[in-house]
C-alpha cells in the first residue's frame, strides 16, 4: 500500500513522503489566492473554491481566511455558509451537507497522531472521515475530531469539542460535547433565551 493509499485507509502511516508534500503545496498556492481575493471579487472567490475543494454545491460561501490541508478531500452540499478562520484538516474526506452554518474559528479535523511517543517522533498519522448532516449549525470556536458524524438539524454549541457522534435534532454542547436536549416546540416560539420569534 502506498502512502497515499494509507492516507485514505484509516491506517497509521508516516507523513514524510516528498511527492505528497509537493502536491500539498499546489493546494496551498490556490488557498493563498482564495484568501487574498478582495471582498468585491465574489465570482473569483467561488471559482477558486471550486478548484480547491472536491465538491462545492450551489450558493456556498466561505469567508476568508480559510485554512485547509488539501482542499480536495472536502465536499460541500448546497447553501453552506462558513464564517472566517474555518480550518479543515482534510487529510481524508470531510462531508458537509446542505444548509450548514459554521461559525468563526471552527476546526474540523480528520487527522490524528498515535499517543505512542515513538511513533509520533517518526511523524506517524492516521485519518478518519468526518460527516456533517444537513441543516447543522456549528457554533463559534467548536472543534470536530476525526471519525465524528453529526446528524441532521443538530446545533453544536460554541466552544464544544466533538469527540463522538452526535445524533440528529439535538442541541449538544461542552468539552467533551454531549447532548443537552432535543430540539422541540419551544424552539419554534423562542429564538434565544426568553426572546420570542416575531417573524415567520
Amino acid at each position: 500500500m502506498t502512502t497515499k493509499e494509507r492516507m485514505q485507509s484509516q491506517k497509521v502511516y508516516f507523513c514524510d513522503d516528498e511527492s505528497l508534500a509537493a502536491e500539498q503545496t499546489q493546494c496551498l498556492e490556490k488557498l493563498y489566492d482564495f484568501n487574498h481575493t478582495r471582498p468585491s471579487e465574489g465570482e473569483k472567490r467561488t471559482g477558486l473554491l471550486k478548484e480547491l475543494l472536491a465538491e462545492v454545491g450551489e450558493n456556498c460561501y466561505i469567508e476568508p481566511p480559510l485554512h485547509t490541508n488539501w482542499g480536495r478531500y472536502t465536499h460541500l452540499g448546497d447553501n453552506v455558509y462558513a464564517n472566517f478562520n474555518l480550518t479543515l484538516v482534510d487529510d481524508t474526506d470531510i462531508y458537509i451537507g446542505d444548509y450548514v452554518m459554521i461559525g468563526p474559528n471552527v476546526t474540523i479535523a480528520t487527522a490524528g497522531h498515535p499517543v505512542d511517543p515513538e511513533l509520533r517522533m517518526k511523524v506517524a498519522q492516521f485519518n478518519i472521515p468526518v460527516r456533517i448532516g444537513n441543516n447543522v449549525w456549528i457554533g463559534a470556536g467548536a472543534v470536530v475530531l476525526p471519525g465524528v458524524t453529526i446528524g441532521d438539524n443538530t446545533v453544536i454549541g460554541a466552544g464544544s469539542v466533538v469527540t463522538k457522534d452526535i445524533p440528529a435534532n439535538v442541541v449538544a454542547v461542552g468539552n467533551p460535547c454531549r447532548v443537552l436536549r432535543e430540539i422541540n416546540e419551544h424552539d419554534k416560539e423562542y429564538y434565544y433565551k426568553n426572546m420570542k420569534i416575531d417573524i415567520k
Side-chain angles (χ1 to χ4, degrees):
M1 205 181 269
T2 66
T3 304
K4 201 166 187 177
E5 288 169 338
R6 289 189 78 90
M7 277 181 68
Q8 308 305 313
S9 71
Q10 302 185 28
K11 295 181 182 297
V12 171
Y13 66 99
F14 299 112
C15 48
D16 55 1
D17 187 314
E18 288 184 15
S19 65
L20 285 179
E23 279 187 51
Q24 197 170 21
T25 299
Q26 293 173 1
C27 156
L28 297 176
E29 290 285 344
K30 280 185 188 161
L31 188 60
Y32 179 92
D33 292 340
F34 175 83
N35 284 333
H36 287 82
T37 54
R38 301 185 66 82
S40 59
E41 296 179 310
E43 281 186 33
K44 182 178 179 182
R45 243 179 224 180
T46 300
L48 286 166
L49 203 60
K50 287 183 176 180
E51 288 177 27
L52 184 65
L53 303 185
E55 294 178 87
V56 179
E58 295 296 315
N59 195 34
C60 291
Y61 181 83
I62 295 181
E63 182 70 42
L66 166 67
H67 312 282
T68 181
N69 280 18
W70 289 91
R72 69 174 68 170
Y73 300 118
T74 295
H75 310 257
L76 302 185
D78 297 333
N79 301 292
V80 174
Y81 171 82
N83 214 320
F84 55 80
N85 277 329
L86 173 61
T87 297
L88 300 167
V89 187
D90 63 343
D91 292 71
T92 193
D93 294 303
I94 295 173
Y95 298 97
I96 298 174
D98 301 334
Y99 294 95
V100 171
M101 296 177 67
I102 301 173
N105 300 308
V106 166
T107 297
I108 303 171
T110 66
H113 302 281
V115 173
D116 177 66
E118 290 183 19
L119 277 174
R120 281 189 286 110
M121 283 177 68
K122 296 175 184 174
V123 207
Q125 182 171 317
F126 61 88
N127 310 313
I128 307 175
V130 169
R131 291 174 172 81
I132 296 168
N134 298 321
N135 202 28
V136 169
W137 174 23
I138 301 176
V143 178
V144 180
L145 294 182
V148 163
T149 295
I150 299 172
D152 293 349
N153 304 316
T154 281
V155 175
I156 303 296
S160 295
V161 179
V162 189
T163 61
K164 295 181 180 176
D165 292 354
I166 303 293
N169 301 302
V170 299
V171 176
V173 300
N175 179 8
C177 189
R178 293 182 178 92
V179 174
L180 179 66
R181 63 178 179 83
E182 290 187 357
I183 293 170
N184 56 41
E185 290 302 310
H186 180 270
D187 299 304
K188 294 184 185 301
E189 195 173 350
Y190 295 91
Y191 62 93
Y192 184 70
K193 297 185 178 177
N194 63 348
M195 297 178 175
K196 210 163 188 177
I197 297 168
D198 63 353
I199 59 169
K200 292 293 179 189

